[in-house]
Amino acid sequence: MLKVNMIRHGKTYGNSRGRYIGTTDEPLLLEEAEALRRYAFEETDQVFASPLMRCVQTAEILFPGQEPCLIPEFAECDFGKFENKNYQELSDNPDYQKWIDSGGTLGFPGGESMVEFQERCLAGMERVVAMSYEKDWEEIALVVHGGTIMSILGAYGFPKQDYFEWHVNNGEGYRVRFSPEAFCRGSRELVVDGKIVRSEE
């Protein structure tokens, strides 16, 4: 049985302003980096991360001394014309209103569709599971984006919940367990044991 800690990266400037930060490669806020040091984990068999700076920095803080294996498929969604803007800045944009009215199911203008993004994230998870099965690891960590976590658990998480119900705050995540062998044979159920929650500052 493989244990997985799925953790969303720490807060960036764009996150603090409620912006859609996908392909924008922002660093962590300095105060956030300091705060995260209080939550460092013990060593795990392998740390995987999105290649974007905010995830790499978070991984290095939470798992000191362990170099993360970067998984390009785990990068955040390309928000296209909505990138680096918040809802106030987009409030007069008709494309944004259409996206809101669709319940977030429409593709992002000039960016990815939700289906493309989710399929990419799941392909990355498949790669990670195959590596874990081959190496016979017992515990790993994924330091990724909120959308990445929601994509994986929206498809495979148990108990079953919709994509948006798996949302977590910056620096938080989920503890998950599953059988890599069964996963590789087609049983894709990831059992969610609980949230990883930061205490109040």
Side-chain angles (χ1 to χ4, degrees):
M1 191 66 66
L2 180 68
K3 297 177 182 177
V4 186
N5 290 308
M6 293 185 176
I7 304 161
R8 184 183 176 192
H9 63 80
K11 191 176 292 185
T12 69
Y13 178 79
N15 294 151
S16 72
R17 295 295 183 266
R19 293 177 178 163
Y20 291 94
I21 303 297
T23 57
T24 302
D25 204 7
E26 290 189 328
L28 297 178
L29 291 167
L30 288 177
E31 59 267 30
E32 177 74 346
E34 288 303 313
L36 284 174
R37 295 185 201 286
R38 295 167 35 197
Y39 301 96
F41 287 72
E42 293 182 6
E43 188 170 336
T44 192
D45 289 321
Q46 181 63 56
V47 179
F48 296 93
S50 156
L52 293 175
M53 191 187 317
R54 54 197 184 269
C55 292
V56 175
Q57 289 179 330
T58 302
E60 290 171 346
I61 292 167
L62 294 181
F63 299 91
Q66 289 194 263
E67 184 175 353
C69 174
L70 305 185
I71 306 295
E73 295 94 331
F74 284 164
E76 182 59 287
C77 186
D78 181 350
F79 295 119
K81 293 180 179 178
F82 302 164
E83 180 71 27
N84 212 5
K85 296 180 174 68
N86 60 31
Y87 76 93
Q88 291 139 324
E89 295 165 323
L90 291 165
S91 59
D92 294 329
N93 185 320
D95 288 331
Y96 184 66
Q97 191 56 55
K98 288 177 187 175
W99 183 79
I100 292 292
D101 292 343
S102 77
T105 59
L106 285 179
F108 296 100
E112 287 182 284
S113 71
M114 289 301 293
V115 171
E116 289 169 336
F117 171 57
Q118 290 168 1
E119 286 180 348
R120 170 164 64 77
C121 293
L122 296 180
M125 189 64 188
E126 298 276 345
R127 278 213 299 138
V128 164
V129 170
M131 279 188 264
S132 301
Y133 181 41
E134 183 180 334
K135 300 286 187 180
D136 200 25
W137 286 327
E138 295 182 358
E139 184 170 359
I140 63 172
L142 310 183
V143 183
V144 293
H145 307 272
T148 310
I149 292 172
M150 291 190 291
S151 292
I152 294 168
L153 294 183
Y156 302 146
F158 182 84
K160 294 296 182 186
Q161 294 187 134
D162 291 336
Y163 174 89
F164 290 105
E165 292 181 272
W166 292 110
H167 172 80
V168 286
N169 295 324
N170 293 103
E172 299 184 349
Y174 292 98
R175 290 188 176 89
V176 177
R177 60 186 164 82
F178 66 102
S179 166
E181 184 178 4
F183 195 98
C184 290
R185 286 201 309 260
S187 174
R188 298 294 197 263
E189 188 172 273
L190 309 182
V191 178
V192 179
D193 287 332
K195 275 190 173 182
I196 300 167
V197 180
R198 294 166 66 171
S199 60
E200 292 296 320
E201 300 293 334

